[in-house]
Amino acid sequence: MAEIENPNFLKGHNLDLKQIRLDVYRLACYFEASRSFAEQSSASNNNLFINRLPLEFMEDEVSRTLLQSAIILRILDDESEADKDEKNPFYCGRLSSKSCVQKLSLREACNKIIHGQKINFDIEELGDYKYLKPVVYLYGSQGKNGWKAELNIREFVDHGARLLTARTLHEYI
């Protein structure tokens, strides 16, 4: 059998970028809808079980979608035409360690999502209902040094969507 050259972008990975853009959009919707759902549930003053379902599913779904999106965004970042020093001029949070606090680039945010050992959500209460605020806390270690990343979901989604749409650094900026 003869080897066939793969014409697809990205090291031969056949990625459906439209589907990944949809996942990034969904990620934004989960956080933006969370508060609205809690407000409507609280205002209705009824004790329907369905009002408690969103948070149960959102944490799992956000975690899955965040990880999947980070993996693809990291692959795209590796394949971008930017020089190493130019990559990800956009930031989406803070990275803290014992030695310093610094801005969290999109590339580093993807790394922290992929390699993080713990994820915490910023949850607010509204009466008897809880909702997700658009911040995620990731924890892990690199060697013997622990780190904490505070990820701003709105900025992560915005920069991620921009990267998913662009093919060159010029288009990305």
Side-chain angles (χ1 to χ4, degrees), residues 140-152:
S141 60
Q142 189 168 10
K144 294 182 180 181
N145 300 318
W147 52 260
K148 174 184 178 182
E150 182 178 326
L151 180 65
N152 180 310

Side-chain angles (χ1 to χ4, degrees), residues 60-166:
D60 291 342
E61 187 63 13
V62 164
S63 184
R64 181 198 63 78
T65 307
L66 190 60
L67 179 59
Q68 181 174 307
S69 299
I71 291 168
I72 300 302
L73 290 171
R74 185 61 172 75
I75 291 170
L76 287 172
D77 185 71
D78 282 347
E79 292 298 314
S80 76
E81 295 176 1
D83 291 333
K84 192 172 186 175
D85 294 336
E86 294 177 317
K87 287 190 178 206
N88 282 320
F90 301 102
Y91 299 99
C92 51
R94 291 186 310 208
L95 178 60
S96 305
S97 64
K98 285 183 180 179
S99 59
C100 69
V101 175
Q102 59 191 29
K103 291 180 181 178
L104 183 67
S105 69
L106 179 63
R107 179 183 182 87
E108 193 61 25
C110 291
N111 289 338
K112 298 310 181 196
I113 293 164
I114 293 165
H115 298 290
Q117 298 159 334
K118 180 178 174 184
I119 181 170
N120 287 339
F121 296 95
D122 194 344
I123 296 178
E124 192 79 22
E125 291 189 19
L126 184 65
D128 292 337
Y129 301 94
K130 297 177 183 177
Y131 65 92
L132 298 176
K133 293 178 73 175
V135 176
V136 171
Y137 303 96
L138 302 154
Y139 296 86
S141 60
Q142 189 168 10
K144 294 182 180 181
N145 300 318
W147 52 260
K148 174 184 178 182
E150 182 178 326
L151 180 65
N152 180 310
I153 294 294
R154 288 181 179 133
E155 291 173 352
F156 177 80
V157 165
D158 182 61
H159 301 324
R162 189 181 313 218
L163 181 59
L164 285 164
T165 304

Side-chain angles (χ1 to χ4, degrees), residues 29-46 48-58 124-132:
C29 289
Y30 296 143
F31 283 93
E32 298 303 324
S34 183
R35 181 182 177 114
S36 177
F37 203 100
E39 286 172 347
Q40 291 175 1
S41 298
S42 182
S44 69
N45 283 329
N46 60 35
L48 296 175
F49 185 76
I50 196 166
N51 291 341
R52 301 190 189 287
L53 288 179
L55 195 58
E56 174 187 345
F57 294 117
M58 270 195 236
E124 192 79 22
E125 291 189 19
L126 184 65
D128 292 337
Y129 301 94
K130 297 177 183 177
Y131 65 92
L132 298 176

